[in-house]
Amino acid sequence: MHAGFHMNTWAKVDDTCEITYAPDGPTAMSVYFGGRMEGFEIVLTRAGLDRLATVVAEARDKLAA
């Protein structure tokens, strides 16, 4: 049984998707997919960026295998 509000979202990033970043305060970075105000944004701390980089590298290597 679920209590409260739960949401799932996804985005497909293809070969031509614009990906940029900008600081989000002193301890985080915003990463934009598809441009600001018309795309998808995630905010990550340094540790979050490190974890994301590790998982993305593993996923890339699986595709190349």
Side-chain angles (χ1 to χ4, degrees):
M1 181 171 161
H2 295 286
F5 177 77
H6 297 269
M7 185 174 106
N8 184 24
T9 188
W10 66 275
K12 184 175 182 179
V13 179
D14 65 20
D15 299 352
T16 62
C17 179
E18 179 183 359
I19 303 173
T20 59
Y21 61 90
D24 190 309
T27 61
M29 194 66 71
S30 289
V31 179
Y32 303 96
F33 298 86
R36 291 184 184 185
M37 310 307 283
E38 62 184 18
F40 184 76
E41 174 186 358
I42 58 174
V43 179
L44 300 133
T45 63
R46 172 68 188 250
L49 282 166
D50 288 343
R51 289 180 44 222
L52 179 63
T54 298
V55 171
V56 168
E58 290 173 7
R60 182 202 57 221
D61 292 346
K62 290 281 186 185
L63 280 177

